[in-house]
């Protein structure tokens, strides 16, 4: 978080930088991507004191409240961008989200923040491109939209570590032809990333699906 804020400061955006306050995501906003039973269980687990969920993921008394604000931060930025009808949004929030499944916490993630944001946009009729930007595979985001008709177009940009990999080729789905994985070598720099995007096998992805909004997240 400190590094992210320092990087934003280094851009010297001046008056072009607008800081938007986060709000807590509502249950209706969360159940678009998470099961109600899971939300109830996670809430009860946290409010009873929390503890270890798996080898990477734990929760405390305040974790569910904080996670709802992390999920709501993206929604607040979307609302501000729509009000201004211009701009680019950036959300620095913890806990992260892209490993959280519809019914399970995983990989430091309790609620899937980017999925909540994408689902909110889809509920408004937007076509959304999700760019998953992390060394680990965004298995939770993929699982959530994997069986959704006319699902959000997803492009996964991954490094060499696929610890939370979901076998995307093991089962066909609505999203199968709209998902692209771009493996990158360790220590890849910006020019390597750009080349990977420019040379990806299906350059027609964005043309064929015509996304109106791009969401990057982890």
């Amino acid at each position: 978080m400190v590094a992210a804020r320092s990087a934003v400061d280094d851009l010297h955006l001046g008056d072009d930088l607008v800081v938007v306050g986060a709000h807590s995501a509502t249950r209706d906003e969360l159940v678009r991507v998470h099961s109600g039973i899971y939300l109830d269980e996670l809430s009860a687990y946290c409010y009873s004191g929390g503890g270890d969920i798996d080898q990477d993921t734990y929760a405390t008394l305040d974790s569910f409240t904080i996670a709802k604000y992390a999920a709501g931060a993206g929604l607040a930025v979307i609302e501000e961008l729509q009000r201004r009808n211009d701009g680019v949004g950036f959300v620095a929030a913890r806990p992260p989200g892209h490993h959280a499944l519809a019914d399970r916490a995983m990989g430091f993630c309790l609620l899937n923040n980017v999925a909540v944001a994408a689902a909110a946009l889809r509920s408004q009729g937007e076509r959304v491109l999700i760019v998953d930007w992390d060394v680990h595979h965004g298995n939770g985001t993929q699982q959530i939209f994997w069986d959704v008709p006319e699902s959000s177009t997803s492009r996964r940009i991954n490094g060499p570590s696929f610890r939370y990999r979901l076998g995307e080729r093991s089962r066909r789905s609505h999203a199968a032809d709209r998902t692209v994985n771009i493996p990158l070598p360790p220590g890849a720099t910006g020019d390597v990333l750009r080349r990977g995007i420019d040379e990806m096998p299906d350059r027609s992805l964005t043309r064929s699906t015509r996304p109106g909004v791009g969401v990057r997240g982890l």
Side-chain angles (χ1 to χ4, degrees):
M1 293 292 289
V2 173
R5 296 180 68 172
S6 296
V8 172
D9 291 340
D10 289 344
L11 295 174
H12 303 293
L13 296 174
D15 292 339
D16 289 334
L17 177 63
V18 177
V19 178
V20 178
H23 61 69
S24 178
T26 67
R27 184 179 179 87
D28 286 345
E29 291 165 337
L30 295 176
V31 294
R32 292 188 181 117
V33 300
H34 291 291
S35 75
I37 293 174
Y38 168 66
L39 295 175
D40 292 340
E41 291 177 345
L42 179 62
S43 173
Y45 186 71
C46 291
Y47 292 144
S48 67
D52 291 333
I53 297 175
D54 61 30
Q55 62 180 347
D56 297 320
T57 314
Y58 68 92
T60 68
L61 177 67
D62 297 322
S63 290
F64 187 60
T65 298
I66 295 170
K68 287 191 293 183
Y69 270 95
L75 301 175
V77 169
I78 288 171
E79 292 166 6
E80 182 66 16
L81 291 172
Q82 291 175 333
R83 186 182 73 82
R84 293 173 174 271
N85 197 31
D86 188 27
V88 175
F90 172 74
V91 178
R94 284 293 183 268
H98 73 160
H99 294 311
L101 307 176
D103 58 358
R104 178 183 171 190
M106 184 184 293
F108 311 105
C109 304
L110 302 180
L111 301 174
N112 198 308
N113 307 328
V114 71
V116 170
L121 289 164
R122 291 188 71 250
S123 73
Q124 300 169 19
E126 295 282 2
R127 302 178 70 90
V128 183
L129 170 67
I130 301 174
V131 181
D132 189 81
W133 196 278
D134 191 44
V135 68
H136 294 128
H137 175 223
N139 61 300
T141 308
Q142 178 170 305
Q143 181 242 34
I144 285 169
F145 292 112
W146 196 242
D147 289 316
V148 177
E150 298 181 0
S151 62
S152 301
T153 304
S154 303
R155 180 188 298 164
R156 314 282 183 215
I157 301 180
N158 301 306
S161 176
F162 296 89
R163 180 175 183 179
Y164 302 102
R165 190 179 185 94
L166 187 70
E168 67 270 14
R169 293 187 180 277
S170 65
R171 180 170 56 86
R172 299 299 292 177
S173 80
H174 297 285
D177 296 327
R178 298 174 180 172
T179 300
V180 174
N181 289 288
I182 306 177
L184 298 173
T189 53
D191 59 329
V192 177
L193 173 59
R194 171 60 69 87
R195 182 176 177 180
I197 294 173
D198 289 343
E199 296 180 359
M200 71 179 187
D202 188 2
R203 291 302 308 279
S204 65
L205 177 64
T206 55
R207 292 194 295 271
S208 63
T209 54
R210 302 184 304 279
V213 180
V215 180
R216 291 193 295 184
L218 52 81

